[in-house]
PDB file of all heavy atoms in Angstrom:
ATOM      1  N   TYR A 172      -0.112 -23.906  -5.338  1.00 98.00           N
ATOM      2  CA  TYR A 172      -0.023 -22.746  -6.244  1.00 98.00           C
ATOM      3  C   TYR A 172       1.325 -22.674  -6.969  1.00 98.00           C
ATOM      4  O   TYR A 172       1.558 -21.758  -7.751  1.00 98.00           O
ATOM      5  CB  TYR A 172      -0.240 -21.458  -5.441  1.00 98.00           C
ATOM      6  CG  TYR A 172      -1.646 -21.361  -4.876  1.00 98.00           C
ATOM      7  CD1 TYR A 172      -1.974 -21.958  -3.666  1.00 98.00           C
ATOM      8  CD2 TYR A 172      -2.646 -20.707  -5.584  1.00 98.00           C
ATOM      9  CE1 TYR A 172      -3.270 -21.889  -3.165  1.00 98.00           C
ATOM     10  CE2 TYR A 172      -3.941 -20.635  -5.096  1.00 98.00           C
ATOM     11  CZ  TYR A 172      -4.243 -21.229  -3.880  1.00 98.00           C
ATOM     12  OH  TYR A 172      -5.524 -21.166  -3.403  1.00 98.00           O
ATOM     13  N   ALA A 173       2.196 -23.649  -6.698  1.00 98.00           N
ATOM     14  CA  ALA A 173       3.590 -23.545  -7.153  1.00 98.00           C
ATOM     15  C   ALA A 173       3.730 -23.544  -8.672  1.00 98.00           C
ATOM     16  O   ALA A 173       4.756 -23.118  -9.207  1.00 98.00           O
ATOM     17  CB  ALA A 173       4.421 -24.672  -6.544  1.00 98.00           C
ATOM     18  N   ASP A 174       2.687 -23.988  -9.367  1.00 98.00           N
ATOM     19  CA  ASP A 174       2.750 -24.084 -10.826  1.00 98.00           C
ATOM     20  C   ASP A 174       1.645 -23.274 -11.503  1.00 98.00           C
ATOM     21  O   ASP A 174       1.434 -23.382 -12.703  1.00 98.00           O
ATOM     22  CB  ASP A 174       2.556 -25.564 -11.193  1.00 98.00           C
ATOM     23  CG  ASP A 174       3.603 -26.023 -12.165  1.00 98.00           C
ATOM     24  OD1 ASP A 174       4.585 -25.283 -12.375  1.00 98.00           O
ATOM     25  OD2 ASP A 174       3.416 -27.120 -12.732  1.00 98.00           O
ATOM     26  N   ALA A 175       0.946 -22.471 -10.709  1.00 98.00           N
ATOM     27  CA  ALA A 175      -0.286 -21.829 -11.202  1.00 98.00           C
ATOM     28  C   ALA A 175      -0.041 -20.883 -12.376  1.00 98.00           C
ATOM     29  O   ALA A 175      -0.907 -20.702 -13.229  1.00 98.00           O
ATOM     30  CB  ALA A 175      -0.957 -21.080 -10.054  1.00 98.00           C
ATOM     31  N   CYS A 176       1.131 -20.252 -12.423  1.00 98.00           N
ATOM     32  CA  CYS A 176       1.411 -19.280 -13.496  1.00 98.00           C
ATOM     33  C   CYS A 176       2.567 -19.734 -14.384  1.00 98.00           C
ATOM     34  O   CYS A 176       3.315 -18.908 -14.929  1.00 98.00           O
ATOM     35  CB  CYS A 176       1.727 -17.911 -12.901  1.00 98.00           C
ATOM     36  SG  CYS A 176       0.287 -17.121 -12.188  1.00 98.00           S
ATOM     37  N   ARG A 177       2.690 -21.047 -14.533  1.00 97.00           N
ATOM     38  CA  ARG A 177       3.784 -21.584 -15.356  1.00 97.00           C
ATOM     39  C   ARG A 177       3.755 -20.966 -16.759  1.00 97.00           C
ATOM     40  O   ARG A 177       2.689 -20.833 -17.352  1.00 97.00           O
ATOM     41  CB  ARG A 177       3.653 -23.101 -15.451  1.00 97.00           C
ATOM     42  CG  ARG A 177       4.922 -23.800 -15.896  1.00 97.00           C
ATOM     43  CD  ARG A 177       4.816 -25.294 -15.635  1.00 97.00           C
ATOM     44  NE  ARG A 177       3.804 -25.908 -16.479  1.00 97.00           N
ATOM     45  CZ  ARG A 177       4.027 -26.388 -17.699  1.00 97.00           C
ATOM     46  NH1 ARG A 177       5.241 -26.316 -18.209  1.00 97.00           N
ATOM     47  NH2 ARG A 177       3.065 -26.944 -18.393  1.00 97.00           N
ATOM     48  N   ARG A 178       4.897 -20.555 -17.241  1.00 97.00           N
ATOM     49  CA  ARG A 178       5.094 -19.964 -18.577  1.00 97.00           C
ATOM     50  C   ARG A 178       4.474 -18.567 -18.725  1.00 97.00           C
ATOM     51  O   ARG A 178       4.409 -18.023 -19.826  1.00 97.00           O
ATOM     52  CB  ARG A 178       4.575 -20.887 -19.680  1.00 97.00           C
ATOM     53  CG  ARG A 178       5.326 -22.235 -19.725  1.00 97.00           C
ATOM     54  CD  ARG A 178       4.756 -23.150 -20.788  1.00 97.00           C
ATOM     55  NE  ARG A 178       4.935 -22.609 -22.135  1.00 97.00           N
ATOM     56  CZ  ARG A 178       6.035 -22.751 -22.850  1.00 97.00           C
ATOM     57  NH1 ARG A 178       7.070 -23.408 -22.354  1.00 97.00           N
ATOM     58  NH2 ARG A 178       6.125 -22.257 -24.058  1.00 97.00           N
ATOM     59  N   LYS A 179       4.006 -17.997 -17.624  1.00 98.00           N
ATOM     60  CA  LYS A 179       3.486 -16.615 -17.683  1.00 98.00           C
ATOM     61  C   LYS A 179       4.579 -15.661 -17.205  1.00 98.00           C
ATOM     62  O   LYS A 179       5.418 -16.021 -16.378  1.00 98.00           O
ATOM     63  CB  LYS A 179       2.239 -16.453 -16.805  1.00 98.00           C
ATOM     64  CG  LYS A 179       1.099 -17.363 -17.220  1.00 98.00           C
ATOM     65  CD  LYS A 179       0.624 -17.070 -18.622  1.00 98.00           C
ATOM     66  CE  LYS A 179      -0.288 -18.150 -19.142  1.00 98.00           C
ATOM     67  NZ  LYS A 179      -0.200 -18.354 -20.593  1.00 98.00           N
ATOM     68  N   LYS A 180       4.505 -14.429 -17.730  1.00 98.00           N
ATOM     69  CA  LYS A 180       5.544 -13.451 -17.392  1.00 98.00           C
ATOM     70  C   LYS A 180       4.939 -12.176 -16.800  1.00 98.00           C
ATOM     71  O   LYS A 180       3.972 -11.635 -17.342  1.00 98.00           O
ATOM     72  CB  LYS A 180       6.356 -13.079 -18.644  1.00 98.00           C
ATOM     73  CG  LYS A 180       7.367 -14.151 -19.036  1.00 98.00           C
ATOM     74  CD  LYS A 180       8.000 -13.865 -20.377  1.00 98.00           C
ATOM     75  CE  LYS A 180       7.078 -14.277 -21.506  1.00 98.00           C
ATOM     76  NZ  LYS A 180       7.610 -14.048 -22.839  1.00 98.00           N
ATOM     77  N   LEU A 181       5.543 -11.751 -15.715  1.00 98.00           N
ATOM     78  CA  LEU A 181       5.195 -10.471 -15.093  1.00 98.00           C
ATOM     79  C   LEU A 181       6.300  -9.484 -15.432  1.00 98.00           C
ATOM     80  O   LEU A 181       7.484  -9.804 -15.263  1.00 98.00           O
ATOM     81  CB  LEU A 181       5.124 -10.636 -13.560  1.00 98.00           C
ATOM     82  CG  LEU A 181       5.160  -9.347 -12.734  1.00 98.00           C
ATOM     83  CD1 LEU A 181       3.811  -8.627 -12.793  1.00 98.00           C
ATOM     84  CD2 LEU A 181       5.513  -9.647 -11.270  1.00 98.00           C
ATOM     85  N   PHE A 196       6.403  -8.382  -5.627  1.00 98.00           N
ATOM     86  CA  PHE A 196       5.748  -8.764  -6.884  1.00 98.00           C
ATOM     87  C   PHE A 196       6.560  -9.878  -7.563  1.00 98.00           C
ATOM     88  O   PHE A 196       6.008 -10.846  -8.076  1.00 98.00           O
ATOM     89  CB  PHE A 196       5.642  -7.570  -7.841  1.00 98.00           C
ATOM     90  CG  PHE A 196       4.308  -6.879  -7.793  1.00 98.00           C
ATOM     91  CD1 PHE A 196       4.188  -5.576  -7.348  1.00 98.00           C
ATOM     92  CD2 PHE A 196       3.149  -7.536  -8.212  1.00 98.00           C
ATOM     93  CE1 PHE A 196       2.951  -4.938  -7.309  1.00 98.00           C
ATOM     94  CE2 PHE A 196       1.909  -6.912  -8.179  1.00 98.00           C
ATOM     95  CZ  PHE A 196       1.811  -5.604  -7.728  1.00 98.00           C
ATOM     96  N   GLU A 197       7.867  -9.699  -7.569  1.00 98.00           N
ATOM     97  CA  GLU A 197       8.707 -10.684  -8.261  1.00 98.00           C
ATOM     98  C   GLU A 197       8.703 -12.018  -7.514  1.00 98.00           C
ATOM     99  O   GLU A 197       8.552 -13.084  -8.128  1.00 98.00           O
ATOM    100  CB  GLU A 197      10.122 -10.108  -8.451  1.00 98.00           C
ATOM    101  CG  GLU A 197      10.063  -8.867  -9.357  1.00 98.00           C
ATOM    102  CD  GLU A 197      11.397  -8.231  -9.703  1.00 98.00           C
ATOM    103  OE1 GLU A 197      12.444  -8.713  -9.221  1.00 98.00           O
ATOM    104  OE2 GLU A 197      11.393  -7.245 -10.476  1.00 98.00           O
ATOM    105  N   ALA A 198       8.815 -11.956  -6.188  1.00 98.00           N
ATOM    106  CA  ALA A 198       8.747 -13.196  -5.397  1.00 98.00           C
ATOM    107  C   ALA A 198       7.388 -13.865  -5.605  1.00 98.00           C
ATOM    108  O   ALA A 198       7.299 -15.093  -5.730  1.00 98.00           O
ATOM    109  CB  ALA A 198       8.972 -12.884  -3.917  1.00 98.00           C
ATOM    110  N   ALA A 199       6.332 -13.046  -5.662  1.00 98.00           N
ATOM    111  CA  ALA A 199       4.977 -13.585  -5.859  1.00 98.00           C
ATOM    112  C   ALA A 199       4.910 -14.371  -7.170  1.00 98.00           C
ATOM    113  O   ALA A 199       4.416 -15.508  -7.211  1.00 98.00           O
ATOM    114  CB  ALA A 199       3.965 -12.447  -5.868  1.00 98.00           C
ATOM    115  N   MET A 200       5.435 -13.766  -8.246  1.00 98.00           N
ATOM    116  CA  MET A 200       5.350 -14.446  -9.546  1.00 98.00           C
ATOM    117  C   MET A 200       6.213 -15.710  -9.560  1.00 98.00           C
ATOM    118  O   MET A 200       5.800 -16.743 -10.084  1.00 98.00           O
ATOM    119  CB  MET A 200       5.771 -13.475 -10.658  1.00 98.00           C
ATOM    120  CG  MET A 200       5.379 -13.946 -12.048  1.00 98.00           C
ATOM    121  SD  MET A 200       3.586 -14.280 -12.149  1.00 98.00           S
ATOM    122  CE  MET A 200       3.372 -14.444 -13.916  1.00 98.00           C
ATOM    123  N   TYR A 201       7.396 -15.644  -8.952  1.00 98.00           N
ATOM    124  CA  TYR A 201       8.230 -16.858  -8.904  1.00 98.00           C
ATOM    125  C   TYR A 201       7.548 -17.959  -8.095  1.00 98.00           C
ATOM    126  O   TYR A 201       7.578 -19.129  -8.470  1.00 98.00           O
ATOM    127  CB  TYR A 201       9.613 -16.550  -8.311  1.00 98.00           C
ATOM    128  CG  TYR A 201      10.531 -15.814  -9.274  1.00 98.00           C
ATOM    129  CD1 TYR A 201      11.116 -14.596  -8.928  1.00 98.00           C
ATOM    130  CD2 TYR A 201      10.810 -16.331 -10.540  1.00 98.00           C
ATOM    131  CE1 TYR A 201      11.942 -13.915  -9.812  1.00 98.00           C
ATOM    132  CE2 TYR A 201      11.636 -15.652 -11.432  1.00 98.00           C
ATOM    133  CZ  TYR A 201      12.197 -14.450 -11.067  1.00 98.00           C
ATOM    134  OH  TYR A 201      13.015 -13.775 -11.949  1.00 98.00           O
ATOM    135  N   GLU A 202       6.900 -17.581  -6.990  1.00 98.00           N
ATOM    136  CA  GLU A 202       6.236 -18.604  -6.155  1.00 98.00           C
ATOM    137  C   GLU A 202       5.003 -19.176  -6.817  1.00 98.00           C
ATOM    138  O   GLU A 202       4.506 -20.226  -6.424  1.00 98.00           O
ATOM    139  CB  GLU A 202       5.923 -18.028  -4.766  1.00 98.00           C
ATOM    140  CG  GLU A 202       7.208 -17.828  -3.981  1.00 98.00           C
ATOM    141  CD  GLU A 202       7.007 -17.408  -2.541  1.00 98.00           C
ATOM    142  OE1 GLU A 202       5.965 -17.733  -1.946  1.00 98.00           O
ATOM    143  OE2 GLU A 202       7.921 -16.748  -2.014  1.00 98.00           O
ATOM    144  N   LEU A 203       4.518 -18.477  -7.870  1.00 98.00           N
ATOM    145  CA  LEU A 203       3.399 -19.014  -8.660  1.00 98.00           C
ATOM    146  C   LEU A 203       3.923 -19.789  -9.872  1.00 98.00           C
ATOM    147  O   LEU A 203       3.139 -20.192 -10.731  1.00 98.00           O
ATOM    148  CB  LEU A 203       2.493 -17.869  -9.128  1.00 98.00           C
ATOM    149  CG  LEU A 203       1.688 -17.149  -8.024  1.00 98.00           C
ATOM    150  CD1 LEU A 203       1.082 -15.845  -8.565  1.00 98.00           C
ATOM    151  CD2 LEU A 203       0.586 -18.052  -7.476  1.00 98.00           C
ATOM    152  N   GLY A 204       5.221 -19.946  -9.951  1.00 98.00           N
ATOM    153  CA  GLY A 204       5.814 -20.732 -11.045  1.00 98.00           C
ATOM    154  C   GLY A 204       6.027 -19.938 -12.314  1.00 98.00           C
ATOM    155  O   GLY A 204       6.364 -20.501 -13.362  1.00 98.00           O
ATOM    156  N   GLY A 205       5.840 -18.618 -12.259  1.00 98.00           N
ATOM    157  CA  GLY A 205       6.006 -17.785 -13.453  1.00 98.00           C
ATOM    158  C   GLY A 205       7.386 -17.156 -13.530  1.00 98.00           C
ATOM    159  O   GLY A 205       8.276 -17.469 -12.729  1.00 98.00           O
ATOM    160  N   ASN A 206       7.546 -16.269 -14.497  1.00 98.00           N
ATOM    161  CA  ASN A 206       8.829 -15.588 -14.717  1.00 98.00           C
ATOM    162  C   ASN A 206       8.641 -14.079 -14.640  1.00 98.00           C
ATOM    163  O   ASN A 206       7.510 -13.581 -14.719  1.00 98.00           O
ATOM    164  CB  ASN A 206       9.397 -15.974 -16.080  1.00 98.00           C
ATOM    165  CG  ASN A 206       9.761 -17.439 -16.124  1.00 98.00           C
ATOM    166  OD1 ASN A 206      10.609 -17.902 -15.362  1.00 98.00           O
ATOM    167  ND2 ASN A 206       9.085 -18.194 -16.977  1.00 98.00           N
ATOM    168  N   VAL A 207       9.773 -13.387 -14.547  1.00 98.00           N
ATOM    169  CA  VAL A 207       9.733 -11.942 -14.335  1.00 98.00           C
ATOM    170  C   VAL A 207      10.676 -11.224 -15.292  1.00 98.00           C
ATOM    171  O   VAL A 207      11.795 -11.678 -15.524  1.00 98.00           O
ATOM    172  CB  VAL A 207      10.156 -11.622 -12.867  1.00 98.00           C
ATOM    173  CG1 VAL A 207      10.295 -10.129 -12.648  1.00 98.00           C
ATOM    174  CG2 VAL A 207       9.155 -12.207 -11.867  1.00 98.00           C
ATOM    175  N   LEU A 208      10.191 -10.115 -15.868  1.00 98.00           N
ATOM    176  CA  LEU A 208      11.033  -9.177 -16.630  1.00 98.00           C
ATOM    177  C   LEU A 208      11.034  -7.880 -15.830  1.00 98.00           C
ATOM    178  O   LEU A 208       9.976  -7.474 -15.345  1.00 98.00           O
ATOM    179  CB  LEU A 208      10.424  -8.877 -18.004  1.00 98.00           C
ATOM    180  CG  LEU A 208       9.952 -10.042 -18.865  1.00 98.00           C
ATOM    181  CD1 LEU A 208       9.169  -9.514 -20.059  1.00 98.00           C
ATOM    182  CD2 LEU A 208      11.155 -10.831 -19.338  1.00 98.00           C
ATOM    183  N   ASP A 236       2.672 -10.939 -19.777  1.00 98.00           N
ATOM    184  CA  ASP A 236       1.242 -11.229 -19.627  1.00 98.00           C
ATOM    185  C   ASP A 236       0.571 -10.268 -18.656  1.00 98.00           C
ATOM    186  O   ASP A 236      -0.658 -10.159 -18.629  1.00 98.00           O
ATOM    187  CB  ASP A 236       1.074 -12.668 -19.101  1.00 98.00           C
ATOM    188  CG  ASP A 236       1.662 -13.668 -20.070  1.00 98.00           C
ATOM    189  OD1 ASP A 236       1.057 -13.884 -21.121  1.00 98.00           O
ATOM    190  OD2 ASP A 236       2.759 -14.190 -19.786  1.00 98.00           O
ATOM    191  N   MET A 434       0.250 -12.223  -4.887  1.00 98.00           N
ATOM    192  CA  MET A 434       0.041 -13.522  -5.562  1.00 98.00           C
ATOM    193  C   MET A 434      -1.436 -13.687  -5.905  1.00 98.00           C
ATOM    194  O   MET A 434      -1.797 -14.070  -7.027  1.00 98.00           O
ATOM    195  CB  MET A 434       0.488 -14.685  -4.657  1.00 98.00           C
ATOM    196  CG  MET A 434       2.002 -14.775  -4.490  1.00 98.00           C
ATOM    197  SD  MET A 434       2.497 -15.995  -3.245  1.00 98.00           S
ATOM    198  CE  MET A 434       2.434 -17.504  -4.204  1.00 98.00           C
ATOM    199  N   ILE A 437      -2.402 -11.279  -8.836  1.00 98.00           N
ATOM    200  CA  ILE A 437      -1.884 -11.732 -10.137  1.00 98.00           C
ATOM    201  C   ILE A 437      -2.753 -12.883 -10.661  1.00 98.00           C
ATOM    202  O   ILE A 437      -3.163 -12.902 -11.822  1.00 98.00           O
ATOM    203  CB  ILE A 437      -0.401 -12.174 -10.017  1.00 98.00           C
ATOM    204  CG1 ILE A 437       0.495 -10.969  -9.765  1.00 98.00           C
ATOM    205  CG2 ILE A 437       0.054 -12.938 -11.255  1.00 98.00           C
ATOM    206  CD1 ILE A 437       1.929 -11.313  -9.337  1.00 98.00           C
ATOM    207  N   LEU A 441      -4.948 -12.583 -14.134  1.00 98.00           N
ATOM    208  CA  LEU A 441      -4.596 -13.468 -15.259  1.00 98.00           C
ATOM    209  C   LEU A 441      -5.751 -14.405 -15.592  1.00 98.00           C
ATOM    210  O   LEU A 441      -5.997 -14.697 -16.762  1.00 98.00           O
ATOM    211  CB  LEU A 441      -3.322 -14.255 -14.938  1.00 98.00           C
ATOM    212  CG  LEU A 441      -2.011 -13.452 -14.969  1.00 98.00           C
ATOM    213  CD1 LEU A 441      -0.827 -14.337 -14.616  1.00 98.00           C
ATOM    214  CD2 LEU A 441      -1.777 -12.796 -16.335  1.00 98.00           C
ATOM    215  N   LEU A 447      -5.001 -17.975 -17.836  1.00 96.00           N
ATOM    216  CA  LEU A 447      -4.728 -19.188 -17.030  1.00 96.00           C
ATOM    217  C   LEU A 447      -5.853 -20.201 -17.245  1.00 96.00           C
ATOM    218  O   LEU A 447      -7.016 -19.796 -17.404  1.00 96.00           O
ATOM    219  CB  LEU A 447      -4.652 -18.836 -15.536  1.00 96.00           C
ATOM    220  CG  LEU A 447      -3.503 -17.941 -15.088  1.00 96.00           C
ATOM    221  CD1 LEU A 447      -3.604 -17.701 -13.578  1.00 96.00           C
ATOM    222  CD2 LEU A 447      -2.169 -18.547 -15.436  1.00 96.00           C
TER     223      LEU A 447
END
Side-chain angles (χ1 to χ4, degrees):
Y172 294 85
D174 229 12
C176 289
R177 198 166 67 88
R178 298 178 64 84
K179 300 298 168 212
K180 283 171 280 180
L181 164 76
F196 263 115
E197 297 183 358
M200 195 55 168
Y201 285 124
E202 290 186 27
L203 291 167
N206 294 299
V207 173
L208 312 170
D236 299 287
M434 289 172 83
I437 291 168
L441 287 179
L447 294 180

